[in-house]
Amino acid sequence: MKFLKWALIVLMAIILAVALFAYRMQQGVKQMSVYNGDWSTIVNTGSENANAIERATIAIVGLLASTKKDSIYYRITSVNGEPLSSSCTYRLEGGQYNANWWSVTAYGWDNHLLPNPQKIYSVNSAQVGDQWRVRLSAEPQDGMWIPLGPAHVAAKVWSKRGDHDFDLLFRLYTPSDVYLNSPQSAPVPKLIKESCQ
Amino acid sequence: MKAVLKYGVIIVVLGVALHWVLALMVPSLAMNVAYDRVSVNGPNQLSTISEVDHDARKVVRPSPDLLYGACAYDLSKGDLMITADVPKQYWSLQFYDMQTNNFAGITNQRDEQWRSDSKVNVLLSLEPKMAITTVTNIVAPHQKGIALVRLSNLEKSEASMQALSSVTCEIAKS
């Protein structure tokens, strides 16, 4: 009986520890994030100065990330508070950004590339000029297009986490000082929701 | 009532302590998972990802515009030699210990642009080695870790593939 009592106490302590850890992780992501409109970027990735919670957060959200001087990542999961949906069409537009090179890649809610027979997952600095526009949609689009996967793939939601169907990751390699010093106001692509089914 | 309060305090104190233990364990657990994935065929060997598409599910959030080469190293078997032909385009070799620290790196960017179109020979060791002009010596803080090569593949060119295939990772000949 005494053993059972202590086993229950330890079990409850473990549950509390996991819940507290998950909460601290969420807070850690928020505290380490800088917002630039709907885009956010985590500072401190790869830093030796990170504390235990930051280090654990980085291990989960950005394992093997480089230092900021090497690369900076911005992520977007919603537009004007509305989670990105694979049943909508979005327009992504922008220019050239001050870095050695850059790319914007679409990922499913499971953190993997969105399956599509065209094998188009991203737009990068070598593909576009000074002004560019790309559409993101499950349906084929004229001009540059990043498929959000066939509709039946988006429907596989049995173990989906979070509200968004997909997100975009804007990577800048060897970013200029404006991204290192002012990530909250540096130029980033603009994402606009055009229509939904 | 007193007993409930006592056990409640024990649960909270134990829970808070365990959450710190968890936070301290997560980085090495995550690195161990990554290490095991990279070293499927054993440590001190290069593993490459030359085509990143939606079937590349071993790596979370892979970039389709990069080529990757990874080497899970174990210096208990000797010093590690990494060699590579550095291309003109973005190229980076970063070293991570098992606590996720990015403890060293070399690149062909910023003040290391001179490395473009050259060959790099990196000797990773646990203690500083005699200086040799053609070899860059990096001292690792611990025996195990991961060395990761990233190079841009924006135009899916043959040059990028050649640069990736030029990378070697093996125990240095004494």
Side-chain angles (χ1 to χ4, degrees):
Chain A
M1 192 62 187
K2 204 171 182 180
F3 171 78
L4 270 179
K5 185 173 74 182
W6 282 103
L8 190 64
I9 286 170
V10 170
L11 181 67
M12 289 176 79
I14 290 171
I15 292 169
L16 175 66
V18 171
L20 189 58
F21 178 67
Y23 172 77
R24 294 285 306 273
M25 286 258 304
Q26 266 187 347
Q27 295 302 306
V29 170
K30 280 183 188 165
Q31 282 168 9
M32 288 191 290
S33 294
V34 168
Y35 291 87
N36 184 333
D38 287 320
W39 296 90
S40 68
T41 181
I42 293 180
V43 290
N44 257 8
T45 49
S47 166
E48 286 198 44
N49 301 323
N51 66 33
I53 295 291
E54 288 174 343
R55 204 177 283 266
T57 306
I58 291 162
I60 289 174
V61 302
L63 188 67
L64 303 181
S66 299
T67 58
K68 282 202 302 177
K69 277 192 161 184
D70 185 72
S71 55
I72 280 187
Y73 305 158
Y74 285 90
R75 184 173 178 235
I76 189 168
T77 60
S78 63
V79 175
N80 298 325
E82 292 180 33
L84 300 183
S85 167
S86 54
S87 49
C88 296
T89 297
Y90 297 88
R91 188 173 77 244
L92 181 70
E93 56 187 30
Q96 285 293 347
Y97 302 95
N98 209 340
N100 182 271
W101 63 282
W102 57 264
S103 67
V104 183
T105 309
Y107 293 96
W109 54 266
D110 60 354
N111 291 325
H112 290 285
L113 295 168
L114 292 163
N116 69 83
Q118 298 84 359
K119 295 196 174 188
I120 302 171
Y121 312 105
S122 66
V123 57
N124 67 52
S125 50
Q127 295 170 326
V128 296
D130 289 343
Q131 296 290 320
W132 54 270
R133 174 178 291 187
V134 176
R135 284 202 163 74
L136 298 102
S137 171
E139 302 301 324
Q141 301 288 314
D142 292 333
M144 292 187 77
W145 169 51
I146 296 177
L148 297 179
H152 70 275
V153 174
K156 287 183 180 177
V157 292
W158 61 84
S159 60
K160 188 180 159 194
R161 296 179 298 274
D163 296 330
H164 56 278
D165 292 340
F166 73 98
D167 65 71
L168 301 179
L169 201 61
F170 175 41
R171 293 177 166 98
L172 295 123
Y173 288 86
T174 321
S176 64
D177 286 349
V178 67
Y179 291 97
L180 298 175
N181 300 330
S182 310
Q184 72 283 2
S185 56
V188 291
K190 194 171 181 183
L191 186 65
I192 300 136
K193 186 171 84 175
E194 289 192 328
S195 62
C196 292
Q197 286 177 352
Chain B
M1 189 63 187
K2 258 188 179 176
V4 172
L5 193 66
K6 184 178 91 177
Y7 293 130
V9 169
I10 291 171
I11 288 168
V12 169
V13 171
L14 200 57
V16 170
L18 281 177
H19 112 277
W20 279 112
V21 173
L22 200 56
L24 291 170
M25 284 172 58
V26 160
S28 65
L29 285 174
M31 278 302 285
N32 272 302
V33 170
Y35 189 95
D36 289 345
R37 283 185 179 176
V38 172
S39 62
V40 172
N41 299 319
N44 307 318
Q45 294 181 49
L46 191 76
S47 162
T48 59
I49 300 178
S50 56
E51 189 184 355
V52 178
D53 62 14
H54 56 259
D55 291 325
R57 300 183 79 83
K58 275 189 178 178
V59 180
V60 172
R61 293 187 170 266
S63 170
D65 303 301
L66 282 174
L67 298 177
Y68 297 91
C71 180
Y73 62 81
D74 181 355
L75 301 180
S76 68
K77 302 180 191 329
D79 298 337
L80 188 80
M81 179 64 86
I82 296 178
T83 63
D85 295 334
V86 181
K88 279 198 180 84
Q89 70 262 35
Y90 168 90
W91 181 94
S92 159
L93 167 60
Q94 301 294 323
F95 293 88
Y96 302 86
D97 67 16
M98 295 304 281
Q99 289 297 315
T100 74
N101 293 316
N102 182 191
F103 66 87
I106 60 174
T107 175
N108 63 353
Q109 301 291 298
R110 299 191 191 276
D111 52 358
E112 291 182 79
Q113 281 182 17
W114 58 270
R115 289 192 192 277
S116 291
D117 271 339
S118 72
K119 191 172 182 72
V120 294
N121 301 288
V122 178
L123 184 69
L124 187 70
S125 57
L126 286 167
E127 290 174 353
K129 296 290 172 176
M130 290 278 283
I132 304 171
T133 50
T134 53
V135 177
T136 302
N137 181 210
I138 290 177
V139 178
H142 306 289
Q143 271 184 8
K144 290 172 76 176
I146 293 176
L148 184 62
V149 173
R150 296 177 178 94
L151 66 111
S152 67
N153 189 30
L154 300 182
E155 285 150 356
K156 318 294 179 209
S157 67
E158 190 59 34
S160 300
M161 293 302 292
Q162 279 177 1
L164 180 67
S165 61
S166 77
V167 183
T168 66
C169 170
E170 58 192 4
I171 293 295
K173 293 176 183 78
S174 50

